[in-house]
Amino acid sequence: MSALRELYQEVIIDHSRQPRNFGVLPDANHSKEGFNPLCGDRVTVHILAENDVISKLQFEGCGCAISMASASLMTETLWGKTRAEVEVIFQHFHQLITAGSAPEELLGKLTVLAGVAEFPVRVKCATLPWHTLKAALAGDTQAVCTE
C-alpha cells in the first residue's frame, strides 16, 4: 500500500472515530435528517447561516467510517462559506468521489475521500451528509433518503 493511501486511510479513521463538530447546535436555523437505508447511516446536519454564510455547522448521527468522516470533513470545510461556495465545493466533491479526481486546491482535506470512487456503492455513504446539508439550506421539508 502506498504511503499516501495509508495516510488517507488514517485521516478517514481519525475523523470517523473522533468526528469534528459533532453534536447538536442549539442555535441552528437550519436542520435536516438524512438516512441511507442500504447500510443504515443516519445523519442530522445543524446549520447556523447568517447573511447567506454558514457561521456554524455541526452534525450528529451514526454510520460507517466513510459517512462519519465525510460529515466531519464537510463541517470543517464549509464553515464560513456562502451557499454559492457550498454548491461549487459540493460539485467538485461529487466529481472527486465518482471520478477519483477534482481540483485539490478547492477541496483540501476532502481529497482523502478520493478512494471512494473505487467503490461505487460507498458513494451514497460519502454524499449523505452533503445532500442532507443542501436540503437543510434549501428548506426541504422531507427527510433525505439516498434510495
Side-chain angles (χ1 to χ4, degrees):
M1 181 182 307
S2 76
L4 184 59
R5 186 174 216 143
E6 256 182 62
L7 174 64
Y8 282 6
Q9 286 182 341
E10 287 176 24
V11 172
I12 291 168
I13 290 169
D14 178 47
H15 274 269
S16 68
R17 289 184 179 162
Q18 299 173 340
R20 283 41 159 202
N21 306 305
F22 188 86
V24 176
L25 183 60
D27 54 346
N29 53 14
H30 303 281
S31 290
K32 179 62 61 190
E33 293 179 27
F35 177 59
N36 180 349
L38 186 62
C39 66
D41 296 337
R42 290 188 175 276
V43 66
T44 302
V45 175
H46 305 285
I47 307 161
L48 177 61
E50 300 170 314
N51 299 320
D52 208 36
V53 175
I54 295 176
S55 58
K56 291 183 186 177
L57 177 58
Q58 291 190 200
F59 79 100
E60 57 184 323
C62 59
C64 69
I66 296 294
S67 178
M68 294 296 100
S70 180
S72 178
L73 290 161
M74 176 188 77
T75 64
E76 287 190 329
T77 302
L78 299 182
W79 274 55
K81 301 288 191 265
T82 66
R83 289 179 194 223
E85 290 170 319
V86 167
E87 186 59 39
V88 170
I89 293 169
F90 173 79
Q91 294 303 321
H92 288 287
F93 176 70
H94 196 267
Q95 177 187 347
L96 174 75
I97 62 170
T98 56
S101 65
E104 189 170 330
E105 65 278 359
L106 183 64
L107 296 178
K109 289 181 187 180
L110 291 169
T111 57
V112 301
L113 293 167
V116 170
E118 297 174 32
F119 307 96
V121 72
R122 304 307 299 270
V123 169
K124 290 181 180 182
C125 301
T127 58
L128 176 65
W130 293 81
H131 286 297
T132 306
L133 173 116
K134 286 180 62 175
L137 287 173
D140 290 351
T141 58
Q142 295 184 350
V144 174
C145 182
T146 59
E147 292 301 310

